[in-house]
Structures are given as structure tokens and as C-alpha cells.
């Protein structure tokens, strides 16, 4: 569709144009000013916790070459098959809004030669993702994740570190979590297992729905991700368990991860059917689930992917990572989280009255802000009474009043909202005198 033929949301009545609002598109949300303090609080905790484990933040572009996701996530996965927002740019290149973050992070790791800096790279991110799914509670088309990838170590202690990092962040906000854990072994043992799986299920193929019947042929491991209860029942009855068909090294790796997490006191549950929806996993797969999320109970998912870096054209290095949904974390946290968030504190409401006070008020506000105070100044030229009402509404700790009388006298009136104490102070020394009563909420620049 040419740009000019996009429907313009205006209707015409005679010569008059009436603008209509453009509705938000399905499956996306606005994060409103009342909610952003909670988001920022959560983000700060994520930054702090990731730093405590020695992880460094990475930010990747909003879109990538479509091929990156087809090659990494897998062409038989739900994400690639039906959920990607893909488009062709003016030059005819196939691009996709990122539906997951491991592949972009690994692409960036390879392209920027991060493997040359150190044998082990610990990265984390907080980002927005896009998947064309059926919107419902906890399932959006634009959503946010935080996650981490540790690239370089094949050992179980690295899996333990990643799972502990994920669990520590999630459990800082949500209670009653469980870590579901499984191993899906290595691709070399997997092909034998896939044959066995197919053989065990083929006699029942007529009982599967059309989608799962196709999966049985193309990629039977994906049957474990099926949302169809009937499929899950057939798997319970007839499918072999993947962890029983992995090599002894893989089994030992799994046992070490599991016992290491248990020793740390994490609530670990072995879930033999947990294979996760992406093709690139090897050995460990895990999810953190919350009983407070209803049908979409996974808060976080991850696992080991020892072949992906090489498959994407990088060096042969193993890796393990996770991603957790921020919207789901907020749902699972319920009412608990907002209570932890410190409110936005306003130090001073600057009341001004009269033409001559406007510029001095602007300058006083600037000076106070430089000293670290949070200052709101009146810009609606309301009555003094209305300005005081506004000061109360914002929860300001103090009001400074600048009127024509104060300007003439080179002074400003200070009123402390808690005690009602009021005095007239020198305009030049307003910051110092205010400092006797109030310490600034914000750290002073550079301080
Ligand atoms: P995945 O990348 O599919 O393993 O998802 C990791 C986590 O991201 C999930 O456990 C959810 O918390 C979250 N998530 C995945 N898809 C969505 C979605 N469509 N809307 C909201 N959160 C999602």
C-alpha cells in the first residue's frame, strides 16, 4: 500500500475536519506514567543482579535479517512458522522484528569478535520483542524480556550460574516459584531418540490433530510443546523419555546441575517432557514457573545451546542462557511489587504570581535543580489557591512562593508542608536556607 493511501483518521463535516483518535493495535500495550516507576524499579534490580554475577549489558537492533531466526530458532518452530513480523525493505532484503534475543546476541558476539576478548563472555539484556501470537493474559505481540547468555563454558557450573541468576531475579519479585529442569542431550544422541519417538507414536498417528500429525513427521520433538491436551495424553502414554536416551556424559551433566541447584535451596522439579520450543537447545532445558500465572505459567525459559554459535558462523564455543518475560513477572508479582517501589518525591512546588515573577521563578527552579532538588514550577498561571492545591496533589515537601511583593523585596516565601512552618527568606540565599530544612532527594550532578 502506498504511503498516501494509508487511511487517515479524519472525518469531514462540511468544511470542518474532525480528528479521530487512531486506536492502539491489537496485542500491544502502553506503559503509562503510573506504571513506569514499577518498570524502572524492576529494571534497576535486573541491572544490579546481573552486575553482581559479572554480566555486562548488550543492546542489539530492533530488526535483523530474517535468515538469522530461520537458521537459529528453526524453520519448524511456531515462532518462525507463524509468529514473526517479517517484511521486505526498499532494497528487497528480508527483515524481521526480533522475536527472541539469543540469536541477535550471538550474532553480535560473533560479528564484534567478542570471543577474542576473553574465553568466557557473560552478557545480559532488557529488550522489547515481537511475536504475532493470539493476544491473551500474559501473551502480547510486543512484550519485554530480560535475559542472559554465558558464552564459552561447557561445564555444569555455568548452567547452575545462569539458572541461579534467573531464579534470583524472579524470586526477588515473585513467590512460590518452581524451576522445571530437563536434559535433551546432544544432537548426536538426539537423532536416535527422534527415530524411537516417531516409531513409538506412529501407530497412533490417526489420533493426533492435523498440526501434530505433521510435527510427528517433520520434527517430533516439537510434539512435547503442543498445547493440545490430547497430544500430551498420547505422549504420556506412548512416548519414550528423552533424558533416558542421552549419553552418560549428558546424564552426568544433568545430575550435577540438578544437585547443584538443590544444594543452593532452589525448588527444582525434573520435568521429563520439558524440551522447550526452539531447535537450538542441547543438554539442559529449564523453565521457571509461577502458580499465579494461570495457563501461561512460564515466567522464564532457557537452556544450553552448545552448537548455535558455530552454526551461526562463529567459533565452536558452548553457551547457556535464559529469557524471562517482564509483563508476566509483573502479573506473577501481583500487588507485591508496587509496594516495594519508592514513590516519586517532589521536593519543592514553586508557586508564582504576577508577570514579574515568571522569569525569576524559572531561574530559581533551575538553581534549585542544580543543587539536587526535585522542583515543579507553575506554568499554567493559576490562582495561588489552585497552585497550592496542585502542590498538595504532587506531595511536594515544600512550597516556595514568588509574587510581586517578594520580587520587590528580593525575597521568597518558604512554606514547609508537613509542619506548616512559614518564613520569608532571601531569594539569593534560597538554596542554602532550604538546605537547613530539606535535603535534596536526587543526588547532585556528579555527586
Ligand atoms: P521464550 O522466548 O518463548 O522461551 O519465552 C521466554 C519468556 O518470555 C516466557 O517464559 C514468557 O515469560 C515470556 N514470553 C514469551 N512470549 C510472550 C508473549 N507473547 N507475551 C508475553 N510474554 C511472553
Amino acid at each position: 500500500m502506498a504511503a498516501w493511501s494509508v487511511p487517515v483518521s479524519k472525518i469531514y463535516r462540511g468544511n470542518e475536519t474532525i480528528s479521530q483518535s487512531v486506536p492502539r493495535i491489537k496485542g500491544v500495550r502502553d506503559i503509562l506514567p503510573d506504571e513506569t516507576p514499577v518498570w524502572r524499579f524492576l529494571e534497576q534490580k535486573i541491572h544490579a543482579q546481573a552486575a553482581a554475577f559479572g554480566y555486562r549489558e548488550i543492546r542489539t537492533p530492533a530488526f535483523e535479517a530474517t535468515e538469522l531466526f530461520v537458521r537459529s530458532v528453526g524453520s519448524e518452530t511456531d515462532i518462525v512458522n507463524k509468529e514473526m513480523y517479517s517484511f521486505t525493505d526498499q532494497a528487497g532484503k528480508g527483515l524481521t522484528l526480533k522475536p527472541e534475543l539469543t540469536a541477535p546476541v550471538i550474532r553480535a558476539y560473533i560479528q564484534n569478535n567478542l570471543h577474542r576478548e576473553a574465553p568466557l563472555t557473560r552478557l545480559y539484556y532488557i529488550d522489547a520483542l515481537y511475536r504475532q501470537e493470539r493476544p491473551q493474559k500474559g501473551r502480547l505481540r510486543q512484550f519485554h524480556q530480560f535475559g542472559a547468555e554465558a558464552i564459552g563454558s561447557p561445564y555444569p557450573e555455568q548452567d547452575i550460574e545462569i539458572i541461579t541468576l534467573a531464579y534470583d531475579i524472579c524470586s526477588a519479585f515473585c513467590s512460590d516459584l518452581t524451576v522445571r529442569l530437563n536434559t535433551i542431550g546432544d544432537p548426536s544422541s538426539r537423532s536416535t531418540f527422534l527415530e524411537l519417538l516417531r516409531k513409538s507414536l506412529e501407530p497412533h498417528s490417526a489420533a493426533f490433530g492435523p498440526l501434530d500429525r505433521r510435527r510427528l513427521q517433520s520434527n517430533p520433538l516439537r510434539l512435547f510443546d503442543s498445547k493440545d491436551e490430547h497430544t500430551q495424553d498420547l505422549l504420556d502414554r506412548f512416548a519414550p523419555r528423552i533424558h533416558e536416551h542421552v549419553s552418560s556424559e549428558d546424564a552426568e551433566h544433568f545430575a550435577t546441575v540438578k544437585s547443584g541447584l538443590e544444594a543452593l535451596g532452589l525448588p527444582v522439579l525434573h520435568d521429563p517432557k520439558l524440551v522447550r520450543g526452539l531447535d537450538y537447545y542441547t543438554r539442559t532445558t529449564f523453565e521457571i514457573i509461577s502458580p499465579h500465572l494461570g495457563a501461561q505459567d512460564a515466567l522464564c525459559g532457557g537452556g544450553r545451546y552448545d552448537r548455535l554459535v558455530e552454526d551461526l558462523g562463529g567459533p565452536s564455543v558452548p553457551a547457556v542462557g535464559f529469557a524471562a518475560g517482564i509483563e508476566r513477572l509483573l502479573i506473577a508479582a501481583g500487588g507485591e511489587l508496587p509496594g516495594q517501589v519508592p514513590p516519586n518525591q517532589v521536593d519543592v512546588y514553586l508557586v508564582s504570581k504576577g508577570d514579574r515573577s515568571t522569569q525569576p521563578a524559572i531561574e530559581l527552579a533551575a538553581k534549585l535543580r542544580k543543587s539536587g532538588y526535585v522542583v515543579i514550577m507553575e506554568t499554567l498561571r493559576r490562582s495561588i489557591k489552585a497552585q497550592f492545591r496542585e502542590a498538595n496533589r504532587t506531595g511536594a515537601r515544600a512550597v516556595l512562593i514568588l509574587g510581586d511583593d517578594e520580587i520587590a523585596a528580593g525575597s521568597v516565601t518558604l512554606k514547609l508542608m508537613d509542619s506548616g512552618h512559614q518564613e520569608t527568606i532571601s531569594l539569593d540565599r534560597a538554596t542554602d536556607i532550604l538546605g537547613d530544612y530539606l535535603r535534596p532527594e536526587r543526588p547532585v550532578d556528579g555527586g
Side-chain angles (χ1 to χ4, degrees):
M1 186 187 279
W4 47 264
S5 67
V6 169
V8 175
S9 53
K10 287 197 166 165
I11 51 176
Y12 301 94
R13 189 194 291 145
N15 286 338
E16 213 185 335
T17 309
I18 304 162
S19 294
Q20 277 194 318
S21 62
V22 181
R24 196 176 52 215
I25 55 174
K26 207 167 140 190
V28 303
R29 282 191 61 222
D30 301 305
I31 304 170
L32 296 172
D34 276 352
E35 301 169 272
T36 46
V38 173
W39 278 73
R40 275 211 309 273
F41 175 76
L42 203 119
E43 286 160 7
Q44 281 157 9
K45 293 268 174 189
I46 296 165
H47 289 301
Q49 200 62 22
F53 279 70
Y55 284 68
R56 295 182 304 149
E57 189 186 8
I58 184 162
R59 301 185 190 199
T60 59
F63 51 91
E64 299 273 354
T66 300
E67 188 197 347
L68 176 68
F69 301 110
V70 176
R71 268 173 60 184
S72 57
V73 176
S75 53
E76 279 304 318
T77 57
D78 280 353
I79 291 183
V80 170
N81 261 337
K82 50 183 194 196
E83 294 171 3
M84 295 205 298
Y85 282 100
S86 298
F87 57 99
T88 310
D89 73 3
Q90 308 270 1
K93 184 155 178 54
L95 302 173
T96 293
L97 292 180
K98 56 189 165 189
E100 67 101 49
L101 270 147
T102 301
V105 167
I106 296 306
R107 199 253 328 121
Y109 166 88
I110 296 168
Q111 208 155 19
N112 295 288
N113 289 316
L114 298 188
H115 55 279
R116 298 226 183 102
E117 287 177 11
L120 181 65
T121 307
R122 291 180 167 97
L123 301 170
Y124 79 97
Y125 55 79
I126 303 177
D127 213 336
L129 308 187
Y130 310 88
R131 290 184 197 168
Q132 194 159 354
E133 298 191 83
R134 200 164 53 79
Q136 52 191 289
K137 188 180 172 209
R139 192 172 283 292
L140 292 157
R141 292 185 166 179
Q142 177 184 316
F143 60 100
H144 298 79
Q145 286 187 341
F146 65 89
E149 317 290 344
I151 311 154
S153 168
Y155 299 116
E157 51 270 39
Q158 191 63 66
D159 308 45
I160 293 171
E161 178 181 285
I162 274 283
I163 297 171
T164 312
L165 172 59
Y167 183 79
D168 281 1
I169 296 175
C170 294
S171 64
F173 306 110
C174 312
S175 39
D176 311 320
L177 301 178
T178 304
V179 180
R180 278 157 67 179
L181 190 68
N182 195 21
T183 181
I184 61 168
D186 196 69
S188 48
S189 54
R190 185 126 10 115
S191 45
T192 326
F193 173 74
L194 290 182
E195 259 328 290
L196 181 69
L197 182 62
R198 200 177 279 124
K199 276 210 188 95
S200 321
L201 295 173
E202 248 161 10
H204 313 281
S205 122
F208 286 100
L211 174 65
D212 286 341
R213 207 173 308 135
R214 207 185 89 193
R215 282 174 167 154
L216 178 60
Q217 294 314 320
S218 60
N219 191 349
L221 201 61
R222 294 278 72 83
L223 288 171
F224 288 101
D225 306 324
S226 173
K227 311 237 173 9
D228 188 332
E229 276 175 27
H230 193 58
T231 297
Q232 290 299 334
D233 179 53
L234 290 168
L235 291 171
D236 283 338
R237 287 194 289 152
F238 304 114
R241 294 294 182 245
I242 192 163
H243 72 277
E244 290 167 353
H245 298 269
V246 300
S247 69
S248 58
E249 292 84 0
D250 291 345
E252 197 184 318
H253 185 99
F254 175 68
T256 312
V257 174
K258 185 163 178 285
S259 62
L261 293 170
E262 283 164 349
L264 289 169
L266 269 64
V268 182
L269 182 78
H270 178 196
D271 176 354
K273 284 204 294 178
L274 181 71
V275 298
R276 309 259 316 123
L278 314 179
D279 274 357
Y280 53 61
Y281 287 114
T282 51
R283 290 191 161 174
T284 310
T285 52
F286 77 97
E287 277 184 357
I288 299 179
I289 57 166
S290 160
H292 309 299
L293 280 174
Q296 313 296 332
D297 66 352
L299 206 53
C300 167
R304 179 165 276 287
Y305 50 96
D306 288 345
R307 305 289 173 93
L308 182 64
V309 184
E310 193 175 4
D311 286 350
L312 290 177
S316 171
V317 283
V320 54
F322 75 86
I326 297 186
E327 283 83 356
R328 284 201 203 162
L329 193 67
L330 289 169
I331 297 172
E336 285 170 41
L337 193 51
Q340 296 178 42
V341 181
N344 277 343
Q345 179 69 58
V346 174
D347 295 319
V348 176
Y349 196 91
L350 194 45
V351 169
S352 59
K353 194 69 199 153
D355 288 348
R356 288 195 299 143
S357 65
T358 307
Q359 185 58 27
I362 293 171
E363 288 167 22
L364 178 59
K367 207 162 130 188
L368 290 168
R369 289 188 194 117
K370 280 208 175 83
S371 301
Y373 291 102
V374 176
V375 183
I376 298 181
M377 72 165 277
E378 174 70 12
T379 54
L380 278 177
R381 303 189 176 182
R382 284 173 285 195
S383 69
I384 298 270
K385 202 169 149 203
Q387 294 189 45
F388 262 92
R389 244 197 328 266
E390 183 63 13
N392 270 321
R393 200 185 66 81
T394 63
R397 296 195 290 163
V399 166
L400 286 173
I401 308 151
L402 260 182
D404 287 343
D405 291 351
E406 280 87 356
I407 297 298
S411 64
V412 56
T413 302
L414 163 70
K415 180 169 180 187
L416 298 177
M417 300 303 265
D418 257 4
S419 61
H421 170 81
Q422 187 164 327
E423 73 181 80
T424 301
I425 60 178
S426 142
L427 182 54
D428 289 344
R429 296 198 50 236
T431 311
D432 291 345
I433 298 170
L434 186 65
D436 293 341
Y437 295 105
L438 293 188
R439 282 159 56 82
E441 268 301 314
R442 276 187 311 128
V444 184
D445 291 350

